[in-house]
Amino acid sequence: GQQLNQSPQSMFIQEGEDVSMNCTSSSIFNTWLWYKQDPGEGPVLLIALYKAGELTSNGRLTAQFGITRKDSFLNISASIPSDVGIYFCAGLYGNKLVFGAGTILRVKS
Amino acid sequence: KAGVTQTPRYLIKTRGQQVTLSCSPISGHRSVSWYQQTPGQGLQFLFEYFSETQRNKGNFPGRFSGRQFSNSRSEMNVSTLELGDSALYLCASSLSPGLASEQYFGPGTRLTVT
């Protein structure tokens, strides 16, 4: 079945640094979604991408839908302590929604 | 506007029992989706309901079932519980159907099977 490889698994960065994470797959997806989950809460949708090559920003977050439709990346600029949490990518193909394993982000203040 | 609510928040059951979890979507939202989250398998899609009809279904055995009521509230049932069913079960609601539409997640129900 379709699988997503999300990397890195975890990151420990200095406040103010930029962060980059990505998801790749051997399968093609029609939509890429990026979520953030804080401890004890459900995921929150950050960015949705619907077209190959699309680059979308949401504040300090920027995500891109890869040209091959098999990958996507998320960048966070100038990280702050409240950016800590788990970031998930998800790919949608037809009626199938597949999630990456998540990237744990820890920020040193 | 109140968010998605899930009850109960925590639940402990024994193997072989059945369990019913409840989800109340955001007012006006008619689509409800259910997900299972475990450390080993991550987030996995269970099913989606819209207007009381199941629209999409993930790859879970028939022991997992759900339904949606006319007021859009949804319930999920797991019968003959197994140890591997221990997980955080998340419900998400959205205005329109489709898994790519903006979904708002509840805090989840933590199910422990002993």
Side-chain angles (χ1 to χ4, degrees):
Chain A
Q2 293 145 319
Q3 286 190 328
L4 295 182
N5 300 309
Q6 185 171 351
S7 66
Q9 278 188 310
S10 66
M11 304 180 72
F12 200 12
I13 62 167
Q14 195 76 33
E15 183 179 353
E17 285 183 345
D18 295 345
V19 173
S20 187
M21 60 191 79
N22 69 82
C23 276
T24 61
S25 176
S26 57
S27 303
I28 288 174
F29 291 95
N30 293 332
T31 299
W32 283 94
L33 307 167
W34 284 93
Y35 291 88
K36 180 185 179 224
Q37 185 173 23
D38 292 326
E41 298 182 18
V44 173
L45 180 64
L46 299 172
I47 294 178
L49 302 159
Y50 300 105
K51 206 164 62 171
E54 181 181 352
L55 184 72
T56 297
S57 293
N58 178 6
R60 293 178 296 106
L61 277 60
T62 302
Q64 184 159 30
F65 192 143
I67 283 290
T68 65
R69 294 167 61 196
K70 294 181 180 181
D71 62 344
S72 176
F73 73 75
L74 175 71
N75 285 343
I76 305 173
S77 63
S79 56
I80 58 178
S82 61
D83 288 336
V84 300
I86 306 177
Y87 292 79
F88 294 97
C89 63
L92 181 65
Y93 183 83
N95 294 332
K96 302 297 181 188
L97 183 64
V98 181
F99 285 87
T103 293
I104 302 171
L105 185 63
R106 299 181 180 93
V107 180
K108 288 184 281 190
S109 56
Chain B
K1 194 185 262 191
V4 176
T5 57
Q6 292 187 245
T7 56
R9 289 294 309 277
Y10 302 91
L11 202 49
I12 300 175
K13 291 284 191 179
T14 55
R15 270 183 303 177
Q17 287 187 314
Q18 74 158 8
V19 67
T20 299
L21 312 182
S22 181
C23 171
S24 293
I26 291 172
S27 177
H29 285 195
R30 293 169 58 198
S31 177
V32 174
S33 299
W34 288 90
Y35 299 83
Q36 182 196 65
Q37 187 174 31
T38 60
Q41 298 296 319
L43 264 165
Q44 296 185 88
F45 168 69
L46 280 156
F47 25 65
E48 179 198 9
Y49 286 87
F50 180 78
S51 292
E52 302 177 66
T53 302
Q54 187 180 87
R55 277 179 43 92
N56 294 306
K57 191 176 189 304
N59 295 326
F60 278 81
R63 300 185 296 108
F64 292 80
S65 63
R67 58 178 177 167
Q68 187 179 34
F69 301 95
S70 58
N71 61 359
S72 295
R73 191 177 69 84
S74 177
E75 286 182 348
M76 191 194 100
N77 185 76
V78 188
S79 62
T80 321
L81 283 166
E82 300 176 0
L83 294 179
D85 296 333
S86 295
L88 180 68
Y89 289 88
L90 292 160
C91 162
S93 77
S94 59
L95 271 172
S96 47
L99 300 176
S101 52
E102 185 154 351
Q103 298 185 55
Y104 295 84
F105 282 83
T109 293
R110 173 77 61 186
L111 172 65
T112 302
V113 182
T114 62

